[in-house]
Amino acid sequence: MTLHSAYPAIADLRTRARKRMPHFVWEYLDSATGTESTKARNRKRLDSIGMQPSILHGEFEADLTTSFLGVKRPLPFGIAPVGMSGLMWPDAEGHLARAAAKTKIPYTLSTVASQSPEDLAPHLGPDAWFQMYPPRDTDIRKDMLARATAAGFSTLVLTVDVPVASRRERQTRSGLTQPPRLTPRLLAQVALKPAWALGMAKRGMPRMRGLEKYTPKTSSALSSTEHAGYLLRTSPDWSYVQWLRDHWHGPLLIKGVLRPEDAEPLAKIGVDALWVSNHAGRQFDAAPASIDALRAIKSATSLPLIFDSGIEGGLDILRAFTCGADYVMLGRPFHYALAALGPRGILHLIEILDKDLRANMGQLGARTLQDLPAPTHLP
């Protein structure tokens, strides 16, 4: 049995990942906030977007190459930042960075990752992005930018949709704290997942290594939604974005944009692209579906647009492109794949998406992503 016959879809990887992760880890990765209405809304609104199939268009091989920010990439998707990736699977950041370098797709390291920029430096390809949760202190800010540059990160992503910690009730109920502490309750869950437990025993429980330089050592544990990063960060304003534009000399992306009226002011500051995202439903449970925000923002700006939130296959990537996306990023699916199958799972997921994109483009008669038909509404 091949991987493609056993795990032909992201849903299959998700099911296997859940079986291999302790419950508290699964709740951290898979949960949203509130009643998880925004997470469900992302799925419902993606499903409402149709495209008219084509007939009699002859044989062709779909071309998946995409130009974004002046770089020609072989695939129209990359790896979004996920905080504490190393909690999902041992050395997750390293595995993801190496796979991204091998396949020439972007990898985005989170500020609150379990490995530091310096840890990842030997494993990065030329398309490495660094996601910043905004430090309040100017000296820390400058140092963080210098470390990212020295490690080989070429693109900066400022996340602006986390002004305060969200509730994430499922995650809180799981008993997870930051840094993770294995209470008797959590140890009982770990004992049932030997592959995860063995890997963690070899590497040690993950911690936010990139922030250790700036945070005081403390024996107290914070809630899983108010980790050490909140001791440093601020809720940024427009002047903060201007400061970053003045001090970062590579592409600057703003992640978490949902309002069309924010596009023009950001363009005037000089940002290079907008990342349309509702944080996959993890921050605010009354947010619009990201795909609806994408359509509205597309009509309000000429800036390149990235899309995420709710992608579950190649067809969803095409839906995003037909609604105005210039590039797509995925977070949870890459962690499902890694937890399900180890490092080979990442490359398997990339193959799943590649095959799904080609199959659906064949149905649409779209030789390139620019040939996609206009979207239609499905009831």
Side-chain angles (χ1 to χ4, degrees), residues 90-310:
D91 192 25
E93 290 94 349
H95 291 311
L96 291 166
R98 289 186 288 272
K102 181 176 181 179
T103 55
K104 299 180 181 179
I105 65 174
Y107 167 70
T108 317
L109 179 71
S110 171
T111 298
V112 293
S114 60
Q115 296 190 51
S116 69
E118 294 80 6
D119 293 331
L120 269 290
H123 311 291
L124 298 175
D127 208 4
W129 300 5
F130 181 75
Q131 177 269 339
M132 173 181 276
Y133 284 120
R136 182 181 299 105
D137 184 271
T138 303
D139 289 337
I140 292 177
R141 208 182 305 167
K142 290 179 179 178
D143 188 64
M144 198 175 284
L145 294 182
R147 291 173 64 193
T149 299
F153 292 91
S154 57
T155 297
L156 182 67
V157 180
L158 175 68
T159 295
V160 295
D161 62 354
V162 189
V164 296
S166 66
R167 299 270 293 157
R168 300 187 195 174
E169 292 84 348
R170 271 177 62 192
Q171 180 178 312
T172 300
R173 291 186 201 105
S174 75
L176 176 65
T177 61
Q178 294 291 357
R181 290 189 173 182
L182 293 180
T183 63
R185 173 187 171 192
L186 301 191
L187 278 170
Q189 298 175 22
V190 169
L192 299 174
K193 311 296 178 182
W196 185 95
L198 181 60
M200 289 300 173
K202 291 179 179 178
R203 291 190 64 87
M205 284 297 289
R207 60 189 195 274
M208 296 177 185
R209 291 176 58 88
L211 295 181
E212 288 181 339
K213 180 178 180 180
Y214 315 120
T215 54
K217 292 185 178 179
T218 176
S219 58
S220 61
L222 301 171
S223 77
S224 65
T225 60
E226 290 187 321
H227 48 67
Y230 283 93
L231 302 176
L232 302 172
R233 75 171 65 167
T234 185
S235 178
D237 57 15
W238 293 94
S239 65
Y240 196 105
V241 179
Q242 184 64 66
W243 186 97
L244 281 181
R245 180 65 289 172
D246 293 340
H247 289 80
W248 178 262
H249 303 298
L252 173 62
L253 283 52
I254 305 299
K255 181 178 184 289
V257 182
L258 292 175
R259 303 189 309 178
E261 59 264 35
D262 292 329
E264 184 178 354
L266 288 168
K268 287 181 177 178
I269 288 174
V271 304
D272 295 283
L274 306 181
W275 190 320
V276 181
S277 170
N278 60 27
H279 221 100
R282 290 169 72 81
Q283 286 306 120
F284 182 59
D285 206 24
S290 286
I291 197 69
D292 291 335
L294 174 67
R295 292 167 127 174
I297 292 170
K298 181 66 175 180
S299 66
T301 186
S302 60
L303 285 174
L305 302 178
I306 298 176
F307 174 83
D308 81 16
S309 298

Side-chain angles (χ1 to χ4, degrees), residues 326-337:
D326 297 289
Y327 208 72
V328 169
M329 300 291 275
L330 299 84
R332 283 190 182 115
F334 278 102
H335 291 75
Y336 297 151

Side-chain angles (χ1 to χ4, degrees), residues 2-5 7-9 61-62 64 74-77 313-315 317-318 347-363:
T2 67
L3 287 181
H4 281 288
S5 60
Y7 309 101
E61 183 68 25
L64 303 183
L75 294 167
F77 58 85
L315 180 57
I317 294 173
L318 297 182
L347 297 179
H348 178 58
L349 171 59
I350 292 170
E351 289 184 6
I352 286 175
L353 294 171
D354 183 293
K355 290 177 180 293
D356 200 24
L357 284 163
R358 294 180 188 279
N360 285 296
M361 289 173 72
Q363 292 290 329

